[in-house]
Amino acid sequence: MKIVNIKKGNKKLIYELAKLHKLSLSNTVATSLSTKNLAKLYELLIRIDYLNVIVAIDENSNILGGLTYTFNNKKKKVKIIQLLAIVRIIIFGFINKPTVFLVETSYKYRIYKNIDYEVNILTLFVDENNQSSGIGRELLSYLKRDFKSNISVDTRTNNKRGLNFYTKNGFKAVRSDSKNTVLKIH
């Protein structure tokens, strides 16, 4: 297994990441999109340097897990044409699952309000057949090599396995509500 950054232009790997994302997570803004549209959104966000993606791949170039993250202080200004392209993609998610879209957006906004971070992990997921094999820890370690502190992440408050995973990897809960818990490495 090796850990690699996905850069723009790697459409096949991005599509495989979108497939795994949809299999691994549910009832999120991203998973309200089709796999094709989620891959398009990944591509666009990577191209405009808004989203960073690292993946664990096996010797056959199959994705075993993925971690996506953004920077708080390095977010580039998104041009209006790029914003329109993003909206054009995510509108399908809104049409497909409007309740999920509105609830998730609202909860995310509230839970992160006034929380300072340099790096925010958006997603961390591992193929079901490879969970508990250290892949999630390796993806997180890869990120932590470059960013030692001020990393935030959130998970469902009822996701005890996820909460334990992040706690074992140095995160501490900083805010919680009925739906999500934000954890940070300070």
Side-chain angles (χ1 to χ4, degrees), residues 7-145:
K7 301 294 182 190
K8 55 187 169 191
N10 197 332
K11 289 184 179 202
K12 182 184 181 297
L13 209 52
I14 291 171
Y15 186 80
E16 293 304 313
L17 179 70
K19 277 183 15 185
L20 181 57
H21 185 157
K22 288 192 58 77
L23 287 171
S24 303
L25 303 173
S26 60
N27 292 322
T28 68
V29 170
T31 59
S32 67
L33 298 169
S34 68
T35 302
K36 182 179 174 183
N37 280 335
L38 181 55
K40 283 181 183 179
L41 184 61
Y42 269 135
E43 258 182 78
L44 178 58
L45 294 175
I46 291 167
R47 187 173 351 110
I48 65 174
D49 202 24
Y50 186 84
L51 183 69
N52 302 279
V53 180
I54 50 179
V55 293
I57 57 175
D58 66 13
E59 60 279 350
N60 298 317
S61 297
N62 297 313
I63 295 180
L64 305 173
L67 185 150
T68 64
Y69 65 98
T70 61
F71 296 102
N72 190 29
N73 60 353
K74 293 183 183 177
K75 288 183 181 173
K76 290 187 173 189
K77 289 271 186 192
V78 178
K79 297 175 185 169
I80 192 72
I81 193 89
Q82 295 166 329
L83 183 60
L84 290 172
I86 292 167
V87 169
R88 193 180 84 228
I89 295 169
I90 64 173
I91 196 74
F92 292 108
F94 179 76
I95 291 168
N96 187 31
K97 294 186 178 178
T99 304
V100 167
F101 198 92
L102 293 171
V103 168
E104 288 301 310
T105 303
S106 169
Y107 270 94
K108 290 284 185 183
Y109 174 77
R110 288 193 313 233
I111 197 81
Y112 276 100
K113 191 172 184 176
N114 298 324
I115 290 187
D116 178 49
Y117 60 86
E118 179 182 354
V119 175
N120 179 242
I121 298 170
L122 300 174
T123 60
L124 172 57
F125 49 88
V126 175
D127 174 70
E128 185 177 55
N129 297 323
N130 292 289
Q131 290 181 356
S132 299
S133 65
I135 293 169
R137 185 180 63 249
E138 285 297 318
L139 288 165
L140 199 53
S141 293
Y142 188 91
L143 177 69
K144 288 167 49 178
R145 283 183 205 135

